[in-house]
Amino acid sequence: MKQKTLIPLIVFLLGICLVGIILYKVDSHETAQNHTTALLNATTYGERIKNEITEGIDVTDVLKQILISESGEFNQFDMIAENLMSDSIESVQLAPNGVVTDIYPSAGNEAGKIDLLHDKDRGKISCYARDNHTIITQGPFKLKQGGSGIAVRNPVFLKDENGLEYFWGFTIVVLRVPDIFSDAVSALSSFGYEYRISKTDAPWSDTYNIVSQSNDSLINPVSYTFTIGKETWMFEVAPQGGWRNNLLITKTSVILTANVILLSVLTCVWLTSKENKNRFQILAHTDSLTNIYNRYGFDELAAKMIAKNPKTHFVAALFDIDDFKFINDIYGHGYGDKALKRLADSMKTFFPSDAILGRNGGDEFCVLLPNYTFEEAEAQLQQFTSLPKTFSCRGREQQFYISLGYAEYPTFASSLSQLMRCADAALYEIKLHGKNGCMSYNQELQSVVRKQLGFALRDISEHLPGAFIIYRADKEDDELFYANHEFLSMTGYQSMDEFFRLTNKSFHNLIREDEQQQIEASIWEQIDSGNENDYIHFHLRKADGSYLSVLDHGRIVESPQYGKVFYVLFMDWEDMHIHYSDKFSG
């Protein structure tokens, strides 16, 4: 009788101890997982908030570029400011010499026309922005129209007739909060998180002011910090109701009364662990930007598929965006990401459901098509390459192009890695022949194609026996793109950055002032007449302000992305005369 009582009691007590241990382990595991997930969300949405604020700040950069291009003059301010407005922007302002003179919309903002550099609340931080050549944000502060705002002040520096830099004033935008990052915080709130966004009250301060926060308090939040200008922002996140899973703890405590409840809890823990494992396996195999396989996930799944069906024909395609760096440089990395996501979305729509889609990294993507030969895939891949591809930038669709190479297994490869190398060789053959095309691998292509391309891009421009530049031909706003080492050496510029800075990236500024009108008229006469080649003699401005007599041999081409582009070779006029007169006199 004692055994009948004692054994069940021992089993029960051992069960309670086991449940207690399991309860402790489950609670620690869940809390750690919640911290990990919350930190991932804080990082992801913190970057989104930073990008959304930066998009608002970009308005000041647009105004700044207009002032620079117009030498400090700003015409039709109201019309331009109106086009730049959005729901998250309260007002757009200009402050020449630090004094606010123009505000859009003007109604209700008359009190904002103040001297920023001498105002007791704004003077110190405004002077800091001017003296340190940096964007500053100030706020939050209450808006007369309701809600709160943050003022962004972007200092503008111009050059006088002597080439000396001087402070013009500020371009300003007042951002509404939390409107500017409402999309990010709304998405985060829908996942069951509380949040708080703070920023340092000045670049030199460690004190944080709350910019925006959810209604409930945060318990032991995780945080993610980022910088805008020279100010630090902090984004804090915590789950609603705290970190512990109180429901699971309550259920587990009920298990003490029976082995069945204990089994149920163990099953629940096993299922929870399995779910978490699957979730992180998906994250490890998926590209977070495009939601297709990353390189690790693509290689693993593709290798398994080929190994499982070794006699099946497969076609692998490798492609990237032509001149993707220019998209990032011209429009910004945020719009580069938009182009990548648009390309991935078009892949999901275009290719069959059994195709494996992946992003190798950067702007390079890959596709594996099962049960295809290269003849069967040719039309499909040609069609995908030629389909219009665009991304949206400030309300306009910007077009971009891709280059694609593909190869067939097992015709040209015995493994996935060899198959991808063949596709890579075909891709770089396309690159060598002008991009924006599609090509299949054949046995004449070798892996050295990539080395040949690398040599061409890296070495030809630097070792070509001549000085040359590339610039966009535009009557109102020409833009310098490139100068090789020979040109920089001939004209005394220490680097490309110095060349762009001293010329303001304009070919117009390389021509001696008294020749500018005549030379530019000659150039445009060439363009308008349809002549692709021309020779012009003029005086080229050097880095030290002196001039060099040169012969300019220009060729104009039509670029699908930049319009008319000039490739210009320069020869020293005096050296050329001395060299050839000596040569022919003998």
Side-chain angles (χ1 to χ4, degrees):
M1 188 68 179
K2 288 184 178 181
Q3 288 181 346
K4 289 182 179 180
T5 304
L6 185 60
I7 292 174
L9 179 61
I10 292 174
V11 171
F12 181 74
L13 292 176
L14 289 174
I16 292 175
C17 293
L18 180 60
V19 168
I21 294 172
I22 293 173
L23 178 62
Y24 173 78
K25 293 289 186 181
V26 169
D27 185 46
S28 299
H29 177 73
E30 286 293 312
T31 301
Q33 293 284 26
N34 287 340
H35 271 88
T36 301
T37 304
L39 185 59
L40 180 63
N41 279 312
T43 303
T44 301
Y45 287 96
E47 278 299 308
R48 281 184 59 178
I49 288 171
K50 177 182 177 182
N51 291 337
E52 289 167 349
I53 295 173
T54 302
E55 287 181 7
I57 292 175
D58 285 344
V59 172
T60 65
D61 283 327
V62 172
L63 299 174
K64 182 175 181 178
Q65 292 304 315
I66 292 174
L67 285 166
I68 292 173
S69 65
E70 297 297 329
S71 300
E73 297 294 327
F74 205 113
N75 299 316
Q76 299 180 320
F77 170 74
D78 285 354
M79 182 189 72
I80 294 173
E82 181 181 13
N83 291 330
L84 295 175
M85 292 291 288
S86 67
D87 294 339
S88 58
I89 295 177
E90 179 62 31
S91 66
V92 178
Q93 306 174 14
L94 294 179
N97 296 315
V99 179
V100 178
T101 58
D102 298 275
I103 303 179
Y104 183 88
S106 58
N109 289 308
E110 293 80 6
K113 295 184 177 182
I114 58 175
D115 185 346
L116 296 172
L117 298 178
H118 299 92
D119 183 78
K120 68 183 184 67
D121 296 325
R122 304 167 181 84
K124 187 175 181 181
I125 195 169
S126 297
C127 290
Y128 181 92
R130 177 197 63 189
D131 297 338
N132 290 273
H133 293 218
T134 186
I135 291 175
I136 57 97
T137 59
Q138 190 172 14
F141 51 85
K142 291 189 177 299
L143 299 171
K144 291 185 177 181
Q145 295 82 354
S148 299
I150 289 179
V152 179
R153 303 189 190 104
N154 193 344
V156 180
F157 292 85
L158 303 178
K159 290 184 180 180
D160 60 18
E161 60 275 12
N162 296 319
L164 299 177
E165 187 178 78
Y166 68 94
F167 173 67
W168 179 90
F170 296 103
T171 56
I172 304 168
V173 63
V174 177
L175 306 176
R176 295 185 65 85
V177 292
D179 307 51
I180 188 66
F181 39 72
S182 59
D183 291 343
V185 296
S186 296
L188 189 66
S189 298
S190 68
F191 291 131
Y193 287 94
E194 305 291 342
Y195 76 94
R196 179 167 58 230
I197 303 173
S198 310
K199 65 176 285 293
T200 51
D201 56 6
W204 56 84
S205 172
D206 293 327
T207 303
Y208 283 84
N209 290 331
I210 296 175
V211 175
S212 178
Q213 64 179 359
S214 52
N215 295 327
D216 295 334
S217 60
L218 277 70
I219 302 172
N220 298 323
V222 296
S223 64
Y224 175 73
T225 59
F226 56 89
T227 58
I228 297 177
K230 292 190 177 181
E231 295 167 301
T232 303
W233 292 63
M234 181 184 297
F235 182 50
E236 298 173 280
V237 169
Q240 296 172 356
W243 296 100
R244 302 187 67 184
N245 192 332
N246 294 322
L247 179 61
L248 181 60
I249 295 173
T250 301
K251 286 184 176 180
T252 307
S253 63
V254 178
I255 297 174
L256 300 176
T257 59
N259 289 334
V260 175
I261 300 176
L262 175 61
L263 181 60
S264 300
V265 172
L266 292 174
T267 303
C268 179
V269 172
W270 177 76
L271 292 174
T272 302
S273 299
K274 183 179 180 180
E275 180 183 351
N276 290 336
K277 181 180 178 181
N278 291 339
R279 185 190 313 145
F280 283 102
Q281 282 181 340
I282 291 172
L283 289 174
H285 288 74
T286 305
D287 176 59
S288 59
L289 177 66
T290 59
N291 287 323
I292 61 177
Y293 286 109
N294 57 22
R295 181 169 184 172
Y296 172 74
F298 177 88
D299 287 348
E300 183 178 63
L301 187 59
K304 287 180 179 178
M305 183 177 287
I306 292 175
K308 188 177 180 181
N309 307 281
K311 296 183 179 180
T312 301
H313 286 265
F314 293 86
V315 168
L318 201 63
F319 54 93
D320 61 17
I321 297 176
D322 294 336
D323 304 313
F324 181 67
K325 183 178 184 301
F326 284 104
I327 295 177
N328 282 331
D329 291 346
I330 293 174
Y331 301 104
H333 289 274
Y335 290 104
D337 287 347
K338 285 188 176 183
L340 296 173
K341 287 189 281 189
R342 283 284 186 90
L343 182 54
D345 290 342
S346 69
M347 293 167 63
K348 297 172 191 175
T349 304
F350 185 85
F351 290 108
S353 59
D354 61 347
I356 303 176
L357 311 179
R359 179 187 175 198
N360 276 355
D363 65 319
E364 189 172 83
F365 292 80
C366 47
V367 177
L368 184 70
L369 298 171
N371 300 307
Y372 272 87
T373 64
F374 74 89
E375 293 94 342
E376 295 168 338
E378 180 178 8
Q380 188 175 18
L381 295 175
Q382 289 281 4
Q383 182 184 358
F384 177 73
T385 304
S386 61
L387 281 176
K389 297 170 182 66
T390 63
F391 63 92
S392 178
C393 177
R394 300 182 180 92
R396 296 182 61 185
E397 292 296 315
Q398 304 293 335
Q399 193 164 18
F400 64 92
Y401 304 90
I402 67 169
S403 296
L404 183 148
Y406 61 98
E408 181 190 340
Y409 168 93
T411 305
F412 296 114
S414 59
S415 64
L416 175 66
S417 60
Q418 187 178 7
L419 180 64
M420 299 309 292
R421 284 196 299 271
C422 291
D424 183 65
L427 169 61
Y428 277 87
E429 180 71 10
I430 284 290
K431 293 292 188 183
L432 284 173
H433 289 81
K435 308 178 184 178
N436 186 22
C438 176
M439 175 179 286
S440 65
Y441 176 81
N442 60 71
Q443 291 179 336
E444 295 180 359
L445 299 180
Q446 303 296 329
S447 60
V448 294
V449 167
R450 192 184 192 106
K451 294 180 181 178
Q452 292 170 350
L453 178 66
F455 177 83
L457 294 177
R458 183 181 64 252
D459 293 340
I460 289 178
S461 69
E462 294 306 319
H463 300 298
L464 190 70
F468 74 89
I469 63 171
I470 306 172
Y471 74 95
R472 185 181 68 225
D474 188 295
K475 287 184 179 180
E476 304 299 329
D477 184 24
D478 69 77
E479 182 181 3
L480 290 167
F481 289 152
Y482 180 74
N484 72 340
H485 179 75
E486 187 85 8
F487 179 86
L488 298 178
S489 176
M490 183 176 77
T491 53
Y493 292 99
Q494 297 301 312
S495 66
M496 190 81 74
D497 288 339
E498 183 184 56
F499 173 57
F500 285 156
R501 179 172 56 82
L502 294 180
T503 60
N504 200 21
K505 297 189 74 173
S506 173
F507 178 74
H508 174 85
N509 295 329
L510 285 171
I511 308 170
R512 197 171 71 184
E513 288 81 353
D514 61 333
E515 296 178 339
Q516 287 175 350
Q517 185 174 357
Q518 174 191 350
I519 297 304
E520 290 182 331
S522 176
I523 291 172
W524 282 102
E525 181 181 352
Q526 170 199 349
I527 294 173
D528 294 338
S529 66
N531 182 18
E532 294 183 351
N533 293 276
D534 198 11
Y535 292 87
I536 300 173
H537 171 229
F538 68 96
H539 290 83
L540 180 72
R541 181 185 176 90
K542 299 174 66 176
D544 60 5
S546 62
Y547 292 93
L548 178 67
S549 179
V550 296
L551 179 66
D552 161 338
H553 178 197
R555 169 168 292 178
I556 191 163
V557 298
E558 189 73 27
S559 165
Q561 186 169 3
Y562 302 106
K564 291 181 172 62
V565 175
F566 252 122
Y567 292 78
V568 184
L569 181 68
F570 294 93
M571 290 160 279
D572 186 311
W573 183 263
E574 299 298 333
D575 285 351
M576 186 174 64
H577 274 263
I578 293 172
H579 173 75
Y580 285 106
S581 62
D582 289 346
K583 183 175 181 180
F584 290 112
S585 63

